[in-house]
Amino acid sequence: MPTPFVMLCCVWAFAWNGVDLKDARAETDKVRVWEMQEILLEAKGEYENPYLEVLCWIDLQGPGFSKRIYGFWDGGAAFKVRFVATAPGNWSWESGSNQTEDSGLNGHGGSLQAKAWSEREKRENPNRRGFVKASENGHALEYADGTPYFMLGDTWLAGSTWRLPFRHAATSPEYVPGPGIGFEDAVQYRKGQGFNSVSMIAAFPNWEADLNPSTYADENGIYVRNAWEKFHYDVSEGRGTDASGGLSYWGTFTAKNMRDERGNLPFALSEEHPGVSNFNRLNPQFFQSLDRKMGYLSEVGFVPLLETVRRDVGPSWNAYFDFNETFARYYQYLISRYGAYNLLFSGIHLDWVPEDFSLSADQFNQALIYHRETYGPPPFEQLCTALIDRATHTTLGQGEQVPWLDMHSVGNKPRDHRVGENLEVQFAIEPPKPTINFEPYYTGWLHEINKPGGEEPPPNSARDVYFSRAQMYGSVLSGGLSGHVHGTAAYDITTTGEPAGARPHIWDALQYRSAEYMAPLQDFVLSEGKRYQELAPATASIEPRKAPGAPEDGLDGWSYMMRTEDASFALLYFENEAARATLSGLEPNARYRWRWYDPRRGQWLEMRELRSNEDGEIKAPTFPEGADVAVGDWAAKVLLR
């Protein structure tokens, strides 16, 4: 019998033509910490469905580390296990599987010596600082070495597909988004604006530009999808009807195609149920395309949010398959394939919970609990969260109800002042966990849930951009110290070769001015270094919190404050038309320094000194334009002298 083929690949050498998997059998003493390593095992047995039949792993040992790392099937006889060394020193591994007689999968081992990065090398790529985790107090995010990580994300939900193709080509520093845009182009453009993350859904099963409407049920009345529509594609005139014989729930359009650059689908199609994916037949080639994008994001220092699927695939998945088991297997496949990258996992994209074309929040939660009980958490401890409708604690629950949830979130509805209430509640939940707004006001999106105070400003207008900026600062200063995820109307990525419709082309939306305010947001919050992690919501200490007549469902007239427990440091944000306020809860008879910050220009104004009264109150200065009512929005920092 020939010797089984086992290779350790150091995935640290990248080229413009994609990932260069380097045979490192002679270089096992030269790997770096937090750099993805890959072991290739070639099965000797023959399996009718390797995705379903084979579970392989390595038992990994290293300094302060002893865990089982599951692998994944990558097509043919190839099984791979990806891992990282989390600390310098000696590491060893031994392979195993549930197919105990397969000599290609079991009983192999190896060792390596991991070396630390220098500080200079860490500055070149912050992912070399280690995977993102919760801060010591649980309220913010930081790299493994303790350096703050403040997420500045963008929403590219279809970025995993052909809509942003990986071009294997360098991008000019002067690149301006336009037709023909590729994944690298978009990433570098956002990186130049200070972003450090993008949110993507890993796969869109059941979505296809076919003769069925974007939302339709099959002959059994089971909804197959509730997809984003393909614009200007009419499937009426007797075609594309739903089970009742009528047109699509949303109209006559078919769905957007969500294949990869090579035309691959994430799963084979069911032979028994037309239009439905066979969730027992995964297609590794689709995820090989996603590999290139995930590797590229790692190399440029991004920490993406990777989501499993959008909720509309749930009804058919649950109706025709063992949902808990097959969903858990798919989620574990993503964790095995991408769990050696610095990222956040989203267990489900649950932006809405409609009765017809979604499973309930509890059904998704039970599947995610089943996954955790079956496979355990990600071995390298990346945080798991969910992009959610309203708030994780209201939609899914908290504490023991969601044992897999490491990070709270809010999103989608409402997209106005009321989102801050949920963020403040989440900040106070014990034990503390980081929280963030994953779906705030979207620039340029003309939709009924994206109308603060009933307004629908023209895309990229000053008012449109202001609403986006107000959600940035208001969300963070309501307790979302993890950062902020920006969004535009092009979350679906209408792209090259397609006409725009209800949502713009991605290259137009990338140039909306709202993105320019994300980096200044980070500069403001981190202006005192890690001290921002000690802040807590203190909006009850602002009087008036709401200007007279300021709407509950708008983004005008409100003020926000977070303050440290010892009252030595505070950050504030005043929306357009906010009233000059009095701050309470400060050190009595103390000298404080007040400094205005212009969020529109990202500039600090001159410092001035104020003194609190015997009750620990300070009357805020007039706004920089000299008025008692803000003309435009302003931020401020207050420091005990």
Side-chain angles (χ1 to χ4, degrees):
M1 178 179 293
T3 302
F5 181 66
V6 183
M7 185 190 340
L8 174 65
C9 302
C10 297
V11 186
W12 56 268
F14 278 73
W16 284 111
N17 62 349
V19 180
D20 177 15
L21 296 179
K22 190 173 181 181
D23 184 348
R25 285 173 293 177
E27 297 184 272
T28 54
D29 61 339
K30 296 183 180 180
V31 306
R32 297 296 192 101
V33 296
W34 302 113
E35 195 87 81
M36 193 260 276
Q37 313 298 325
E38 182 177 278
I39 296 167
L40 170 63
L41 303 169
E42 288 195 340
K44 295 304 176 183
E46 294 187 3
Y47 304 99
E48 192 274 332
N49 187 347
Y51 173 65
L52 198 65
E53 298 175 55
V54 179
L55 183 65
C56 67
W57 59 78
I58 62 168
D59 291 318
L60 181 65
Q61 307 284 335
F65 190 99
S66 178
K67 292 183 182 180
R68 176 160 291 182
I69 314 299
Y70 289 110
F72 60 93
W73 176 54
D74 201 33
F79 290 84
K80 295 179 178 178
V81 185
R82 292 175 175 172
F83 69 96
V84 293
T86 59
N90 295 314
W91 290 76
S92 62
W93 58 272
E94 183 175 354
S95 71
S97 79
N98 64 342
Q99 301 294 334
T100 56
E101 301 302 315
D102 193 318
S103 62
L105 301 176
N106 300 284
H108 305 288
S111 62
L112 54 89
Q113 179 78 21
K115 178 183 175 182
W117 297 98
S118 69
E119 283 302 314
R120 178 187 61 79
E121 290 170 323
K122 291 178 182 179
R123 289 192 295 271
E124 292 172 353
N125 183 347
N127 281 333
R128 295 167 179 168
R129 298 187 178 278
F131 291 173
V132 166
K133 61 183 180 68
S135 60
E136 186 175 353
N137 67 5
H139 289 303
L141 300 175
E142 60 187 27
Y143 294 98
D145 71 354
T147 302
Y149 173 72
F150 188 78
M151 177 175 274
L152 296 179
D154 202 18
T155 306
W156 302 351
L157 299 182
S160 60
T161 72
W162 71 274
R163 300 182 164 279
L164 276 179
F166 196 81
R167 298 194 307 112
H168 307 278
T171 299
S172 166
E174 292 79 35
Y175 174 77
V176 176
I181 189 171
F183 189 81
E184 304 98 306
D185 303 319
V187 170
Q188 290 294 339
Y189 187 74
R190 280 295 190 241
K191 183 179 180 182
Q193 294 174 312
F195 285 71
N196 57 26
S197 178
V198 293
S199 300
M200 303 190 301
I201 298 174
F204 295 81
N206 301 356
W207 287 35
E208 187 72 291
D210 52 25
L211 295 182
N212 292 307
S214 56
T215 298
Y216 78 100
D218 66 12
E219 60 183 7
N220 298 318
I222 303 297
Y223 273 89
V224 174
R225 67 189 182 210
N226 168 225
W228 305 319
E229 66 272 32
K230 181 176 175 64
F231 300 126
H232 304 299
Y233 186 86
D234 193 341
V235 296
S236 57
E237 301 177 0
R239 298 177 297 154
T241 57
D242 64 16
S244 66
L247 294 175
S248 166
Y249 184 92
W250 299 117
T252 62
F253 299 124
T254 191
K256 277 182 158 57
N257 174 352
M258 293 295 179
R259 295 173 178 249
D260 73 359
E261 298 93 324
R262 293 171 172 80
N264 293 304
L265 293 170
F267 293 91
L269 291 175
S270 170
E271 296 180 1
E272 185 179 357
H273 304 288
V276 176
S277 294
N278 182 345
F279 295 104
N280 284 323
R281 292 277 182 184
L282 180 135
N283 179 10
Q285 291 181 323
F286 177 90
F287 297 95
Q288 289 165 6
S289 297
L290 183 53
D291 283 353
R292 290 184 282 273
K293 295 178 177 180
M294 295 297 292
Y296 187 79
L297 290 170
S298 177
E299 280 298 293
V300 301
F302 274 43
V303 181
L305 175 74
L306 184 66
E307 306 198 78
T308 55
V309 288
R310 191 170 177 265
R311 42 88 192 157
D312 66 287
V313 75
S316 65
W317 198 328
N318 184 62
Y320 302 129
F321 299 87
D322 182 333
F323 182 65
N324 283 0
E325 181 181 346
T326 55
F327 187 85
R329 184 186 302 116
Y330 166 66
Y331 189 20
Q332 183 57 39
Y333 187 88
L334 295 180
I335 291 174
S336 297
R337 189 152 199 144
Y338 303 113
Y341 287 121
N342 199 2
L343 80 166
L344 304 178
F345 282 111
S346 171
I348 183 64
H349 183 96
L350 195 58
D351 62 312
W352 185 30
V353 195
E355 183 177 353
D356 287 337
F357 22 86
S358 176
L359 297 183
S360 69
D362 183 63
Q363 286 173 296
F364 284 119
N365 186 35
Q366 291 305 312
L368 291 164
I369 291 173
Y370 180 88
H371 170 269
R372 183 60 63 100
E373 292 174 344
T374 303
Y375 298 98
F380 301 107
E381 302 181 357
Q382 293 96 332
L383 301 179
C384 296
T385 183
L387 187 145
I388 202 71
D389 174 42
R390 293 180 171 82
T392 48
H393 74 281
T394 62
T395 303
L396 291 167
Q398 57 180 288
E400 295 182 357
Q401 295 173 301
V402 279
W404 54 272
L405 190 77
D406 307 310
M407 179 177 177
H408 298 296
S409 78
V410 302
N412 203 32
K413 297 184 292 292
R415 300 185 181 217
D416 52 49
H417 292 135
R418 294 168 293 174
V419 74
E421 299 172 9
N422 282 327
L423 285 163
E424 290 198 32
V425 169
Q426 289 179 345
F427 190 93
I429 293 174
E430 294 291 341
K433 297 177 180 179
T435 185
I436 196 170
N437 188 348
F438 280 133
E439 283 201 316
Y441 179 85
Y442 278 3
T443 322
W445 193 32
L446 306 179
H447 193 280
E448 61 182 11
I449 67 171
N450 202 55
K451 298 169 65 173
E455 287 189 56
E456 194 172 65
N460 204 30
S461 63
R463 186 69 167 161
D464 188 38
V465 170
Y466 161 70
F467 282 156
S468 175
R469 189 171 62 245
Q471 281 266 273
M472 294 176 195
Y473 284 81
S475 294
V476 172
L477 294 189
S478 292
L481 294 179
S482 300
H484 190 72
V485 177
H486 172 266
T488 70
Y491 56 84
D492 63 335
I493 310 187
T494 299
T495 192
T496 308
E498 296 182 309
R503 294 177 291 279
H505 284 118
I506 180 62
W507 53 82
D508 289 329
L510 284 171
Q511 297 179 73
Y512 287 170
R513 289 174 295 135
S514 55
E516 299 171 6
Y517 300 107
M518 289 285 282
L521 170 69
Q522 178 178 249
D523 292 343
F524 171 69
V525 174
L526 271 66
S527 62
E528 294 296 315
K530 292 185 70 170
R531 289 188 69 187
Y532 80 95
Q533 296 180 352
E534 304 168 16
L535 296 169
T539 50
S541 298
I542 306 174
E543 181 59 39
R545 166 76 195 287
K546 311 170 188 177
E552 296 281 335
D553 64 350
L555 287 170
D556 291 300
W558 284 35
S559 303
Y560 298 82
M561 179 168 68
M562 293 190 76
R563 186 183 60 212
T564 57
E565 185 177 3
D566 63 3
S568 64
F569 171 43
L571 293 177
L572 299 98
Y573 177 68
F574 300 90
E575 292 178 339
N576 176 57
E577 298 182 354
R580 184 183 179 191
T582 297
L583 312 184
S584 59
L586 301 174
E587 187 77 18
N589 300 312
R591 290 190 299 168
Y592 279 89
R593 291 174 292 170
W594 180 288
R595 194 171 190 185
W596 287 110
Y597 182 76
D598 186 344
R600 292 155 290 183
R601 297 175 179 81
Q603 295 178 350
W604 289 99
L605 278 62
E606 186 177 351
M607 187 85 71
R608 59 183 304 174
E609 190 169 295
L610 302 173
R611 180 176 288 275
S612 61
N613 63 21
E614 60 185 11
D615 295 320
E617 297 175 335
I618 283 179
K619 180 73 170 179
T622 57
F623 291 102
E625 61 269 18
D628 288 334
V629 176
V631 179
D633 54 324
W634 292 96
K637 175 168 63 177
V638 180
L639 294 167
L640 182 66
R641 187 165 179 82

PDB file of all heavy atoms in Angstrom, residues 328-349:
ATOM      1  N   ALA A 328     -26.450  22.474  11.597  1.00  0.00           N
ATOM      2  CA  ALA A 328     -25.260  22.420  12.451  1.00  0.00           C
ATOM      3  C   ALA A 328     -24.058  21.937  11.659  1.00  0.00           C
ATOM      4  O   ALA A 328     -22.937  22.439  11.840  1.00  0.00           O
ATOM      5  CB  ALA A 328     -25.516  21.510  13.650  1.00  0.00           C
ATOM      6  N   ARG A 329     -24.270  20.945  10.776  1.00  0.00           N
ATOM      7  CA  ARG A 329     -23.156  20.453   9.967  1.00  0.00           C
ATOM      8  C   ARG A 329     -22.632  21.553   9.056  1.00  0.00           C
ATOM      9  O   ARG A 329     -21.414  21.725   8.899  1.00  0.00           O
ATOM     10  CB  ARG A 329     -23.583  19.247   9.130  1.00  0.00           C
ATOM     11  CG  ARG A 329     -22.414  18.629   8.348  1.00  0.00           C
ATOM     12  CD  ARG A 329     -22.860  17.526   7.403  1.00  0.00           C
ATOM     13  NE  ARG A 329     -23.554  16.469   8.115  1.00  0.00           N
ATOM     14  CZ  ARG A 329     -24.825  16.146   7.925  1.00  0.00           C
ATOM     15  NH1 ARG A 329     -25.547  16.819   7.028  1.00  0.00           N
ATOM     16  NH2 ARG A 329     -25.384  15.179   8.606  1.00  0.00           N
ATOM     17  N   TYR A 330     -23.525  22.324   8.444  1.00  0.00           N
ATOM     18  CA  TYR A 330     -23.100  23.416   7.565  1.00  0.00           C
ATOM     19  C   TYR A 330     -22.360  24.502   8.353  1.00  0.00           C
ATOM     20  O   TYR A 330     -21.304  24.995   7.929  1.00  0.00           O
ATOM     21  CB  TYR A 330     -24.316  24.004   6.855  1.00  0.00           C
ATOM     22  CG  TYR A 330     -24.048  25.331   6.189  1.00  0.00           C
ATOM     23  CD1 TYR A 330     -23.176  25.432   5.105  1.00  0.00           C
ATOM     24  CD2 TYR A 330     -24.657  26.497   6.650  1.00  0.00           C
ATOM     25  CE1 TYR A 330     -22.922  26.655   4.496  1.00  0.00           C
ATOM     26  CE2 TYR A 330     -24.414  27.718   6.049  1.00  0.00           C
ATOM     27  CZ  TYR A 330     -23.543  27.792   4.976  1.00  0.00           C
ATOM     28  OH  TYR A 330     -23.291  29.005   4.389  1.00  0.00           O
ATOM     29  N   TYR A 331     -22.896  24.882   9.504  1.00  0.00           N
ATOM     30  CA  TYR A 331     -22.235  25.904  10.313  1.00  0.00           C
ATOM     31  C   TYR A 331     -20.839  25.437  10.720  1.00  0.00           C
ATOM     32  O   TYR A 331     -19.866  26.200  10.663  1.00  0.00           O
ATOM     33  CB  TYR A 331     -23.088  26.214  11.544  1.00  0.00           C
ATOM     34  CG  TYR A 331     -22.636  27.398  12.368  1.00  0.00           C
ATOM     35  CD1 TYR A 331     -21.813  28.388  11.854  1.00  0.00           C
ATOM     36  CD2 TYR A 331     -23.062  27.540  13.689  1.00  0.00           C
ATOM     37  CE1 TYR A 331     -21.417  29.478  12.622  1.00  0.00           C
ATOM     38  CE2 TYR A 331     -22.685  28.616  14.467  1.00  0.00           C
ATOM     39  CZ  TYR A 331     -21.855  29.579  13.934  1.00  0.00           C
ATOM     40  OH  TYR A 331     -21.470  30.653  14.705  1.00  0.00           O
ATOM     41  N   GLN A 332     -20.744  24.157  11.085  1.00  0.00           N
ATOM     42  CA  GLN A 332     -19.432  23.638  11.457  1.00  0.00           C
ATOM     43  C   GLN A 332     -18.489  23.617  10.260  1.00  0.00           C
ATOM     44  O   GLN A 332     -17.277  23.824  10.414  1.00  0.00           O
ATOM     45  CB  GLN A 332     -19.557  22.240  12.049  1.00  0.00           C
ATOM     46  CG  GLN A 332     -18.235  21.674  12.532  1.00  0.00           C
ATOM     47  CD  GLN A 332     -17.554  22.566  13.553  1.00  0.00           C
ATOM     48  OE1 GLN A 332     -18.220  23.152  14.412  1.00  0.00           O
ATOM     49  NE2 GLN A 332     -16.239  22.686  13.479  1.00  0.00           N
ATOM     50  N   TYR A 333     -19.018  23.380   9.072  1.00  0.00           N
ATOM     51  CA  TYR A 333     -18.182  23.421   7.876  1.00  0.00           C
ATOM     52  C   TYR A 333     -17.558  24.813   7.722  1.00  0.00           C
ATOM     53  O   TYR A 333     -16.359  24.948   7.436  1.00  0.00           O
ATOM     54  CB  TYR A 333     -19.014  23.079   6.642  1.00  0.00           C
ATOM     55  CG  TYR A 333     -18.211  22.935   5.369  1.00  0.00           C
ATOM     56  CD1 TYR A 333     -17.646  21.711   5.023  1.00  0.00           C
ATOM     57  CD2 TYR A 333     -17.997  24.011   4.517  1.00  0.00           C
ATOM     58  CE1 TYR A 333     -16.894  21.560   3.856  1.00  0.00           C
ATOM     59  CE2 TYR A 333     -17.252  23.883   3.362  1.00  0.00           C
ATOM     60  CZ  TYR A 333     -16.703  22.651   3.029  1.00  0.00           C
ATOM     61  OH  TYR A 333     -15.958  22.524   1.886  1.00  0.00           O
ATOM     62  N   LEU A 334     -18.361  25.855   7.935  1.00  0.00           N
ATOM     63  CA  LEU A 334     -17.824  27.213   7.856  1.00  0.00           C
ATOM     64  C   LEU A 334     -16.786  27.465   8.940  1.00  0.00           C
ATOM     65  O   LEU A 334     -15.746  28.085   8.687  1.00  0.00           O
ATOM     66  CB  LEU A 334     -18.957  28.235   7.969  1.00  0.00           C
ATOM     67  CG  LEU A 334     -19.984  28.269   6.847  1.00  0.00           C
ATOM     68  CD1 LEU A 334     -21.031  29.352   7.131  1.00  0.00           C
ATOM     69  CD2 LEU A 334     -19.338  28.522   5.491  1.00  0.00           C
ATOM     70  N   ILE A 335     -17.060  26.994  10.154  1.00  0.00           N
ATOM     71  CA  ILE A 335     -16.105  27.192  11.238  1.00  0.00           C
ATOM     72  C   ILE A 335     -14.811  26.440  10.947  1.00  0.00           C
ATOM     73  O   ILE A 335     -13.705  26.964  11.154  1.00  0.00           O
ATOM     74  CB  ILE A 335     -16.714  26.755  12.579  1.00  0.00           C
ATOM     75  CG1 ILE A 335     -17.837  27.723  12.975  1.00  0.00           C
ATOM     76  CG2 ILE A 335     -15.662  26.678  13.674  1.00  0.00           C
ATOM     77  CD1 ILE A 335     -18.613  27.306  14.208  1.00  0.00           C
ATOM     78  N   SER A 336     -14.920  25.207  10.435  1.00  0.00           N
ATOM     79  CA  SER A 336     -13.722  24.435  10.117  1.00  0.00           C
ATOM     80  C   SER A 336     -12.940  25.083   8.988  1.00  0.00           C
ATOM     81  O   SER A 336     -11.703  25.110   9.014  1.00  0.00           O
ATOM     82  CB  SER A 336     -14.118  23.007   9.723  1.00  0.00           C
ATOM     83  OG  SER A 336     -14.746  22.334  10.790  1.00  0.00           O
ATOM     84  N   ARG A 337     -13.651  25.615   8.004  1.00  0.00           N
ATOM     85  CA  ARG A 337     -12.979  26.172   6.826  1.00  0.00           C
ATOM     86  C   ARG A 337     -12.395  27.553   7.104  1.00  0.00           C
ATOM     87  O   ARG A 337     -11.323  27.895   6.593  1.00  0.00           O
ATOM     88  CB  ARG A 337     -13.959  26.220   5.661  1.00  0.00           C
ATOM     89  CG  ARG A 337     -13.303  26.588   4.345  1.00  0.00           C
ATOM     90  CD  ARG A 337     -14.023  26.028   3.151  1.00  0.00           C
ATOM     91  NE  ARG A 337     -13.096  26.041   2.016  1.00  0.00           N
ATOM     92  CZ  ARG A 337     -13.035  25.115   1.072  1.00  0.00           C
ATOM     93  NH1 ARG A 337     -13.850  24.081   1.094  1.00  0.00           N
ATOM     94  NH2 ARG A 337     -12.158  25.220   0.089  1.00  0.00           N
ATOM     95  N   TYR A 338     -13.074  28.359   7.894  1.00  0.00           N
ATOM     96  CA  TYR A 338     -12.642  29.746   8.095  1.00  0.00           C
ATOM     97  C   TYR A 338     -12.282  30.078   9.540  1.00  0.00           C
ATOM     98  O   TYR A 338     -11.953  31.227   9.840  1.00  0.00           O
ATOM     99  CB  TYR A 338     -13.735  30.689   7.585  1.00  0.00           C
ATOM    100  CG  TYR A 338     -14.046  30.414   6.130  1.00  0.00           C
ATOM    101  CD1 TYR A 338     -15.274  29.892   5.741  1.00  0.00           C
ATOM    102  CD2 TYR A 338     -13.080  30.611   5.147  1.00  0.00           C
ATOM    103  CE1 TYR A 338     -15.544  29.604   4.411  1.00  0.00           C
ATOM    104  CE2 TYR A 338     -13.335  30.318   3.816  1.00  0.00           C
ATOM    105  CZ  TYR A 338     -14.567  29.813   3.457  1.00  0.00           C
ATOM    106  OH  TYR A 338     -14.812  29.513   2.136  1.00  0.00           O
ATOM    107  N   GLY A 339     -12.313  29.075  10.412  1.00  0.00           N
ATOM    108  CA  GLY A 339     -12.047  29.334  11.815  1.00  0.00           C
ATOM    109  C   GLY A 339     -10.598  29.557  12.171  1.00  0.00           C
ATOM    110  O   GLY A 339     -10.277  29.757  13.339  1.00  0.00           O
ATOM    111  N   ALA A 340      -9.696  29.535  11.188  1.00  0.00           N
ATOM    112  CA  ALA A 340      -8.299  29.903  11.434  1.00  0.00           C
ATOM    113  C   ALA A 340      -8.016  31.302  10.908  1.00  0.00           C
ATOM    114  O   ALA A 340      -6.859  31.675  10.702  1.00  0.00           O
ATOM    115  CB  ALA A 340      -7.358  28.887  10.798  1.00  0.00           C
ATOM    116  N   TYR A 341      -9.082  32.077  10.673  1.00  0.00           N
ATOM    117  CA  TYR A 341      -8.962  33.486  10.295  1.00  0.00           C
ATOM    118  C   TYR A 341      -9.493  34.353  11.435  1.00  0.00           C
ATOM    119  O   TYR A 341     -10.325  33.916  12.252  1.00  0.00           O
ATOM    120  CB  TYR A 341      -9.769  33.795   9.035  1.00  0.00           C
ATOM    121  CG  TYR A 341      -9.184  33.248   7.758  1.00  0.00           C
ATOM    122  CD1 TYR A 341      -9.911  32.366   6.957  1.00  0.00           C
ATOM    123  CD2 TYR A 341      -7.912  33.619   7.328  1.00  0.00           C
ATOM    124  CE1 TYR A 341      -9.383  31.870   5.765  1.00  0.00           C
ATOM    125  CE2 TYR A 341      -7.384  33.132   6.150  1.00  0.00           C
ATOM    126  CZ  TYR A 341      -8.120  32.258   5.370  1.00  0.00           C
ATOM    127  OH  TYR A 341      -7.586  31.773   4.201  1.00  0.00           O
ATOM    128  N   ASN A 342      -9.057  35.594  11.460  1.00  0.00           N
ATOM    129  CA  ASN A 342      -9.550  36.565  12.431  1.00  0.00           C
ATOM    130  C   ASN A 342     -10.880  37.107  11.905  1.00  0.00           C
ATOM    131  O   ASN A 342     -10.911  37.851  10.922  1.00  0.00           O
ATOM    132  CB  ASN A 342      -8.535  37.699  12.594  1.00  0.00           C
ATOM    133  CG  ASN A 342      -8.748  38.474  13.869  1.00  0.00           C
ATOM    134  OD1 ASN A 342      -9.619  38.160  14.677  1.00  0.00           O
ATOM    135  ND2 ASN A 342      -7.939  39.503  14.077  1.00  0.00           N
ATOM    136  N   LEU A 343     -11.975  36.718  12.536  1.00  0.00           N
ATOM    137  CA  LEU A 343     -13.294  37.118  12.067  1.00  0.00           C
ATOM    138  C   LEU A 343     -14.290  36.999  13.198  1.00  0.00           C
ATOM    139  O   LEU A 343     -13.998  36.473  14.270  1.00  0.00           O
ATOM    140  CB  LEU A 343     -13.733  36.248  10.885  1.00  0.00           C
ATOM    141  CG  LEU A 343     -14.299  34.850  11.168  1.00  0.00           C
ATOM    142  CD1 LEU A 343     -14.977  34.292   9.932  1.00  0.00           C
ATOM    143  CD2 LEU A 343     -13.229  33.891  11.642  1.00  0.00           C
ATOM    144  N   LEU A 344     -15.509  37.498  12.949  1.00  0.00           N
ATOM    145  CA  LEU A 344     -16.657  37.249  13.809  1.00  0.00           C
ATOM    146  C   LEU A 344     -17.618  36.368  13.026  1.00  0.00           C
ATOM    147  O   LEU A 344     -17.803  36.554  11.821  1.00  0.00           O
ATOM    148  CB  LEU A 344     -17.357  38.555  14.199  1.00  0.00           C
ATOM    149  CG  LEU A 344     -16.510  39.630  14.880  1.00  0.00           C
ATOM    150  CD1 LEU A 344     -17.374  40.862  15.151  1.00  0.00           C
ATOM    151  CD2 LEU A 344     -15.897  39.119  16.162  1.00  0.00           C
ATOM    152  N   PHE A 345     -18.248  35.407  13.701  1.00  0.00           N
ATOM    153  CA  PHE A 345     -19.253  34.561  13.070  1.00  0.00           C
ATOM    154  C   PHE A 345     -20.650  35.071  13.416  1.00  0.00           C
ATOM    155  O   PHE A 345     -20.917  35.431  14.569  1.00  0.00           O
ATOM    156  CB  PHE A 345     -19.133  33.116  13.554  1.00  0.00           C
ATOM    157  CG  PHE A 345     -18.007  32.345  12.923  1.00  0.00           C
ATOM    158  CD1 PHE A 345     -16.903  31.970  13.672  1.00  0.00           C
ATOM    159  CD2 PHE A 345     -18.059  31.987  11.587  1.00  0.00           C
ATOM    160  CE1 PHE A 345     -15.868  31.247  13.106  1.00  0.00           C
ATOM    161  CE2 PHE A 345     -17.014  31.270  11.005  1.00  0.00           C
ATOM    162  CZ  PHE A 345     -15.925  30.901  11.760  1.00  0.00           C
ATOM    163  N   SER A 346     -21.533  35.074  12.417  1.00  0.00           N
ATOM    164  CA  SER A 346     -22.947  35.336  12.656  1.00  0.00           C
ATOM    165  C   SER A 346     -23.702  34.049  12.379  1.00  0.00           C
ATOM    166  O   SER A 346     -23.708  33.559  11.246  1.00  0.00           O
ATOM    167  CB  SER A 346     -23.460  36.458  11.751  1.00  0.00           C
ATOM    168  OG  SER A 346     -24.877  36.572  11.842  1.00  0.00           O
ATOM    169  N   GLY A 347     -24.337  33.491  13.394  1.00  0.00           N
ATOM    170  CA  GLY A 347     -25.007  32.211  13.255  1.00  0.00           C
ATOM    171  C   GLY A 347     -26.168  32.225  12.299  1.00  0.00           C
ATOM    172  O   GLY A 347     -26.495  31.197  11.695  1.00  0.00           O
ATOM    173  N   ILE A 348     -26.807  33.387  12.130  1.00  0.00           N
ATOM    174  CA  ILE A 348     -27.923  33.505  11.189  1.00  0.00           C
ATOM    175  C   ILE A 348     -28.127  34.988  10.863  1.00  0.00           C
ATOM    176  O   ILE A 348     -27.966  35.849  11.717  1.00  0.00           O
ATOM    177  CB  ILE A 348     -29.229  32.893  11.769  1.00  0.00           C
ATOM    178  CG1 ILE A 348     -30.362  32.960  10.745  1.00  0.00           C
ATOM    179  CG2 ILE A 348     -29.614  33.565  13.075  1.00  0.00           C
ATOM    180  CD1 ILE A 348     -30.144  32.156   9.489  1.00  0.00           C
ATOM    181  N   HIS A 349     -28.457  35.255   9.595  1.00  0.00           N
ATOM    182  CA  HIS A 349     -28.839  36.602   9.184  1.00  0.00           C
ATOM    183  C   HIS A 349     -30.348  36.704   9.367  1.00  0.00           C
ATOM    184  O   HIS A 349     -31.135  36.377   8.485  1.00  0.00           O
ATOM    185  CB  HIS A 349     -28.454  36.841   7.719  1.00  0.00           C
ATOM    186  CG  HIS A 349     -28.753  38.219   7.225  1.00  0.00           C
ATOM    187  ND1 HIS A 349     -27.802  39.225   7.198  1.00  0.00           N
ATOM    188  CD2 HIS A 349     -29.887  38.771   6.736  1.00  0.00           C
ATOM    189  CE1 HIS A 349     -28.337  40.320   6.709  1.00  0.00           C
ATOM    190  NE2 HIS A 349     -29.606  40.071   6.424  1.00  0.00           N
TER     191      HIS A 349
END
